[in-house]
Amino acid sequence: MFAEEGFDRQVFAVCPSCKSEMAAGAVLCTKCGYNKETGTSLESHKVAGVDIDMGTLALMKAEQDMVRDVALQEKMHKGAGMPPWMLALILFILGSAVTIAVLAVNASRRVEQLQFKPLQMFCNLGGAAFAMVAIGAVLTLIARAFKVSRNEGLLSLTILYVPVFVIRHFRDNWKAAMTAIICGGCAGGFFAAASRM
C-alpha cells in the first residue's frame, strides 16, 4: 500500500517554483521552465490559462494590437497628402499664368504694337518650373548616393552614374527617379513648344 502511494520512491530534487520532481543535478525544471541557478522561468514554458491568466493574455494581445495600429497610422500619415514640391510647382504655374494674363491685357491696350507672346512666355516659365523640379530630384538622388557611401556619391556627381545608382537601390529611389524623368520630359515639351512660337 505504501509502494502504491510512492512512499518507497526516492526524490533527489524538487522544483522550488512548481514543487515537481526533478532529476538529480538538474538545473532546469522540465515542467514549468524554472532555472534554479538564475531564479527565472522561461517564457516558452508558460501555458495559457495555467501559468498566465486570461486577463494578462488579453492585455498582451491589446498591447500588440496597439503597437501595430500605431505603426499603420504612422505609415498612412507618411504617405498621405501632396508633396511640397508639387504644391510649389502648382503655385508657380498659377502665379505665372496670372502674371502673363495681366501683361497680355496691358499689352493689348497699348497703341503701339509690342512683340509680346503670352503663350510663349507661359511655356518658357512652365518649362523652367518643371526643369527646377527635375534638377531638385536629381540632386536628391545624388545626396542619397552620398548617404550610402562616399564612392557612390562621387560617382553620382558625373550624372551618368545616377541611373545605375537608382537601379542598384531601386526600392528607396524610384519615386525621385520617376519625378526627375517626368518633370524633365514636361520641361522639354514646354521649351520645344515655346521655340516653335
Side-chain angles (χ1 to χ4, degrees), residues 14-116:
V14 175
C15 173
S17 178
C18 66
K19 308 296 186 240
S20 304
E21 182 181 347
M22 294 177 67
V27 176
L28 189 67
C29 176
T30 56
K31 185 173 181 184
C32 70
Y34 184 78
N35 190 327
K36 290 197 312 187
E37 287 184 352
T38 61
T40 58
S41 294
L42 297 175
E43 294 292 324
S44 59
H45 277 77
K46 292 186 177 177
V47 179
V50 178
D51 298 318
I52 305 174
D53 62 357
M54 299 311 256
T56 304
L57 283 175
L59 287 173
M60 289 167 65
K61 184 178 183 317
E63 181 184 12
Q64 291 172 355
D65 290 344
M66 287 171 65
V67 169
R68 189 190 70 233
D69 290 344
V70 167
L72 181 64
Q73 191 172 19
E74 285 178 3
K75 184 179 178 183
M76 288 172 63
H77 281 301
K78 193 174 181 183
M82 184 184 298
W85 63 265
M86 187 180 290
L87 181 61
L89 179 64
I90 291 169
L91 291 174
F92 180 81
I93 290 174
L94 288 175
S96 300
V98 170
T99 305
I100 291 167
V102 170
L103 290 173
V105 169
N106 287 337
S108 66
R109 291 183 178 171
R110 289 187 176 219
V111 176
E112 66 274 3
Q113 284 291 82
L114 296 174
Q115 293 297 328
F116 176 69

